[in-house]
Amino acid sequence: MKIKSNRKNCLSDFPTAVQVEAELNRVKYRNRYKAVLRSTIFTLIAVAAVAVLISTLWMPVLKIYGDSMSPTLAEGQIMIAIKTSDFKSGDIVAFQYNNKILIKRYIAGPGDWVDIGEDGTVYVNGESLDEPYLANKAFGECNLELPYQVPESRIFVMGDNRSVSVDSRNTAVGCVAEEQIVGKVLLRIWPLSELSVIS
């Protein structure tokens, strides 16, 4: 009798098949959860790294400060630029200046002659520019001797708010060297209500 009682007690110490299956399922779930979590974290890190690389190397994201490009661009808007050095008159260019990034409009390239009338009309190689993006023309802060020839490997840029913009018309900024160029501004992404291609 005593032996039977001990055997019964020993058997009751072992888990039942249902308990074993429940524990196995719990361990499998925990392992699956850890694998999914690890995979999600690695994916997020990889996506973030790719986004940083794209924004640094190919499509910089820029925030507008000041009103030198109004009414086209307003303070606080966020833009996307694309790395390029291929510009035509009217393109919006982002470039580095004194550890900041400035955004202005491409007016003329290397070797072009730029002249500005007293009323603010801009002439490139003797022809007046059609500038529908301007709210008002202005001679602005120009201390150049006009007409002015753009030096080699440089571009001449101006802000759309001509009366307040300090740009290539002034020797404080001057013409932009190729190595200063960040890219061409193409897309407004913020605020979302103003999402649009820039021209």
Side-chain angles (χ1 to χ4, degrees):
M1 282 306 266
K2 223 175 202 178
I3 294 170
K4 280 184 184 175
S5 174
N6 283 343
R7 187 197 253 170
K8 200 174 198 181
N9 286 341
C10 287
L11 287 175
S12 67
D13 289 342
F14 288 103
T16 64
V18 172
Q19 289 172 323
V20 169
E21 189 175 350
E23 180 61 16
L24 282 173
N25 287 338
R26 189 184 70 79
V27 170
K28 282 180 187 174
Y29 175 80
R30 189 177 65 199
N31 289 341
R32 242 190 344 263
Y33 177 80
K34 284 181 180 177
V36 168
L37 182 62
R38 201 168 31 245
S39 171
T40 303
I41 289 170
F42 288 147
T43 302
L44 289 174
I45 290 170
V47 167
V50 168
V52 168
L53 279 173
I54 287 173
S55 68
T56 303
L57 300 176
W58 189 57
M59 294 179 70
V61 177
L62 311 166
K63 186 172 183 180
I64 304 298
Y65 295 97
D67 61 353
S68 72
M69 281 299 292
S70 67
T72 309
L73 305 178
E75 186 160 12
Q77 292 178 337
I78 297 177
M79 323 301 293
I80 288 182
I82 187 166
K83 295 267 187 179
T84 183
S85 56
D86 181 28
F87 300 104
K88 64 182 188 307
S89 183
D91 287 343
I92 298 176
V93 180
F95 61 95
Q96 294 177 346
Y97 173 76
N98 283 352
N99 296 322
K100 292 186 284 189
I101 293 180
L102 300 183
I103 295 177
K104 307 288 181 186
R105 200 171 288 270
Y106 178 94
I107 299 298
D112 288 336
W113 285 91
V114 177
D115 201 359
I116 305 169
E118 286 183 21
D119 66 345
T121 300
V122 177
Y123 300 87
V124 177
N125 299 324
E127 293 192 21
S128 64
L129 286 185
D130 179 28
E131 299 188 284
Y133 40 79
L134 295 181
N136 295 300
K137 293 181 179 181
F139 188 76
E141 294 187 39
C142 181
N143 63 3
L144 296 177
E145 188 176 319
L146 297 170
Y148 174 81
Q149 187 172 31
V150 182
E152 282 304 310
S153 302
R154 295 187 178 266
I155 61 172
F156 193 97
V157 297
M158 296 170 73
D160 287 359
N161 191 354
R162 298 282 161 85
S163 59
V164 302
S165 176
V166 180
D167 45 45
S168 294
R169 294 171 290 175
N170 194 293
T171 52
V173 174
C175 289
V176 178
E178 288 176 356
E179 59 269 17
Q180 291 176 266
I181 295 171
V182 172
K184 182 193 300 186
V185 176
L186 290 181
L187 187 65
R188 179 180 11 239
I189 60 170
W190 187 263
L192 288 176
S193 60
E194 296 176 26
L195 179 70
S196 60
V197 174
I198 299 298
S199 58

